[in-house]
Amino acid sequence: TNQDPRRKIETQTMLGNCFLEKEMFDLAENQLRKAIEEMPGMSDRSKEILYSLGVLKEKQGKPKDALAEYKKIYEVDISFKDVSERMEALKKEIA
């Protein structure tokens, strides 16, 4: 049905990532935040969404905000994608 929450999250995530690619950051963040709010706990899907939010914050030139998003992933999965490398680079940028 149209009310299927998984479909809603998937749609919001895809929209958010499309807006991110087009550098429509406000729209991207809005969709990604809506998607993450719908997700209980920390799943692979929520890590993907948080990662996209981190990338978004990096592209906006907000390293502290990006680091905060990556830390949420790192706390539960230190080997997720290149999160640890991104965190190290951001720490150096902030320092």
Side-chain angles (χ1 to χ4, degrees), residues 3-61:
Q3 301 303 317
D4 185 341
R6 290 168 302 193
R7 189 165 287 162
K8 181 179 177 186
I9 291 167
E10 192 62 34
T11 301
Q12 289 167 328
T13 303
M14 288 179 0
L15 266 173
N17 285 326
C18 287
F19 288 141
L20 178 57
E21 283 180 29
K22 293 177 185 260
E23 297 191 353
M24 301 171 86
F25 299 127
D26 292 346
L27 295 172
E29 184 169 6
N30 188 32
Q31 291 299 318
L32 294 169
R33 295 260 180 235
K34 283 182 185 175
I36 202 78
E37 285 170 16
E38 300 278 335
M39 305 204 56
M42 184 64 78
S43 64
D44 286 343
R45 195 78 196 108
S46 54
K47 287 186 269 187
E48 289 286 348
I49 296 168
L50 289 169
Y51 187 86
S52 291
L53 284 165
V55 170
L56 182 148
K57 291 300 176 185
E58 280 192 75
K59 288 185 176 206
Q60 285 181 309

Side-chain angles (χ1 to χ4, degrees), residues 75-87:
E75 286 175 355
V76 295
D77 186 353
I78 62 171
S79 62
F80 187 79
K81 293 191 178 187
D82 61 349
V83 165
S84 57
E85 291 89 352
R86 284 182 179 266
M87 286 177 60

